[in-house]
Amino acid sequence: LSGLHDMPQVSYASTSTILNNKDQFPLFGRLIPSAVGDASAAVEYMSNLGASYIGVLFVNDSYG
């Protein structure tokens, strides 16, 4: 909605990588990083715990 009025929008909680598209969201900024590194951090953590197998549930949308 802020883009319709040429007003910048800053989010403290939006992590979707779709919002990285500056052509589609030129006035959007975030205060936290996107979720792009979450999976590799989770794998490294589980590996450090000695896990050999893990199960993954996911959704097929802009966050999944």
Side-chain angles (χ1 to χ4, degrees):
L1 187 59
S2 63
L4 296 175
H5 301 288
D6 291 326
M7 294 172 46
Q9 179 179 1
V10 178
S11 173
Y12 65 90
S14 299
T15 60
S16 174
T17 56
I18 199 167
L19 297 169
N20 293 345
N21 184 338
K22 292 300 178 192
D23 293 328
Q24 190 173 1
F25 305 103
L27 300 173
F28 180 81
R30 67 176 102 233
L31 299 176
I32 61 172
S34 70
V36 76
D38 291 354
S40 58
V43 168
E44 183 177 347
Y45 175 72
M46 295 303 287
S47 178
N48 289 340
L49 291 177
S52 298
Y53 300 95
I54 60 171
V56 178
L57 301 175
F58 70 96
V59 293
N60 191 14
D61 64 8
S62 60
Y63 289 101

